[in-house]
Amino acid sequence: MFEDIVFNHWLWFVAALALIGFEVALPGVVFLWLAIASAIVGLIVLVLPDMSWEMQFVIFSVLSVVSVFAGRSYLKKHPLETEDTNLNRRGAQYIGHNYTLVSDMENGEGKIKIGDTLWKVRGEFAGKTGDVVHVTGSDGVILMVAEKLS
């Protein structure tokens, strides 16, 4: 099957570039490690051009697994920093602010309106529509509130 394909260093370098392209199109920090493994195999084949294609695939497979696990453990220990600490935590940006209830608190739950969005709130008090509440935390899409003391 692979007898007609020439497995030289250029094939591995082009594969590395294609994998980097996949990483850009489908970010997930997996294709990057595969691209590194492909580039290393390309360098090995450049030095040892008579290596069989079977051995090249074995080396690529081993390097891929090793680089993915090494990359994942590195990123777990050194997470990527972001300027927006509340990214993907929309409710966290409202903590510390005051809002007006748009519905009575029933069974510890009510609603507030922030911008054009209604947010479900939870608190340990009996608030009425129009009362001002203070957001103290968030639990997913539910904001935790306390009575705003005047």
Side-chain angles (χ1 to χ4, degrees), residues 74-134:
Y74 175 81
L75 288 177
K76 193 175 278 188
K77 292 176 185 172
H78 305 93
L80 300 174
E81 298 294 325
T82 179
E83 291 179 12
D84 187 2
T85 56
N86 291 328
L87 185 65
N88 295 329
R89 294 179 41 225
R90 188 172 168 210
Q93 66 185 322
Y94 303 122
I95 295 173
H97 293 87
N98 299 323
Y99 299 98
T100 305
L101 285 172
V102 295
S103 70
D104 292 347
M105 296 286 285
E106 295 179 12
N107 297 322
E109 294 185 349
K111 292 185 180 177
I112 59 175
K113 187 169 188 174
I114 302 174
D116 62 351
T117 305
L118 284 177
W119 283 81
K120 189 178 212 180
V121 295
R122 189 173 292 149
E124 302 286 328
F125 61 97
K128 300 285 182 204
T129 302
D131 289 351
V132 177
V133 295
H134 183 75

